[in-house]
Amino acid sequence: MMHSTTIMTAPVSGKCVPLHAIYNSDYSSGNMGQGVAIVPTEDTVAAPFDCVVTRVSESRRCVVLSDKATNYEVLIAADFAADVDAFHLAVAPGQELSKGDILFTMDIDKANIGVGSVTVPCVFSAFTSTEGMNMTYGDAVRGETTVLTCAG
């Protein structure tokens, strides 16, 4: 039996925290899957590995990426108030991306006004428990710091 591993680098620089530590219960409950969240210190969010964009949410603030090597899917979102005009999506469904290609940009200073902290949840939907996952918390640098490893 062959096992595949997905290594996810930070899609954005900032502080990597457990999902359960963020305010949004859609992500923190674990019902959507397991992963991490990043409290960003910059405005650019990039592909954490070579992937294909499989879906974009209706709100256009959430993208689902499929790892080209393993087919694991990860959801990456910009989590802040819906009526804030501080977001630009840079990808479309079916688009192939290399690690580091821009997914979206957001004005975190504008998004933080009156809504608390902006987070970037990163959720592996195939994993309902943390078994087979290694998560790294603390300071993260976009494209450099490994924040999540999934083996299946």
Side-chain angles (χ1 to χ4, degrees):
M1 176 198 257
M2 185 174 165
H3 293 283
S4 299
T5 301
T6 294
I7 298 171
M8 187 174 100
T9 59
V12 62
S13 294
K15 180 72 75 176
C16 187
V17 298
L19 272 181
H20 67 79
I22 66 174
Y23 177 74
N24 188 326
S25 63
D26 291 337
Y27 301 111
S28 64
S29 68
N31 290 336
M32 295 178 73
Q34 295 297 315
V36 297
I38 299 173
V39 179
T41 56
E42 67 174 347
D43 295 343
T44 301
V45 179
F49 43 73
D50 293 343
C51 57
V52 175
V53 179
T54 56
R55 291 184 299 285
V56 173
S57 71
E58 190 174 313
S59 71
R60 300 180 47 84
R61 290 218 191 133
C62 174
V63 296
V64 178
L65 308 173
S66 180
D67 182 334
K68 288 182 183 180
T70 65
N71 290 325
Y72 286 145
E73 284 191 329
V74 63
L75 171 151
I76 298 179
D79 189 23
F80 56 86
D83 60 349
V84 177
D85 180 29
F87 182 83
H88 173 71
L89 182 67
V91 297
Q95 187 173 347
E96 292 193 21
L97 303 172
S98 296
K99 177 182 170 184
D101 288 348
I102 296 174
L103 298 173
F104 53 85
T105 58
M106 56 190 172
D107 182 336
I108 59 174
D109 291 332
K110 194 174 185 182
N112 272 325
I113 295 173
V115 297
S117 185
V118 173
T119 59
V120 178
C122 307
V123 180
F124 275 82
S125 57
F127 290 80
T128 55
S129 77
T130 56
E131 187 174 330
M133 299 180 85
N134 275 333
M135 294 170 260
T136 304
Y137 305 118
D139 293 335
V141 176
R142 175 173 33 108
E144 295 179 19
T145 307
T146 297
V147 294
L148 197 57
T149 303
C150 295

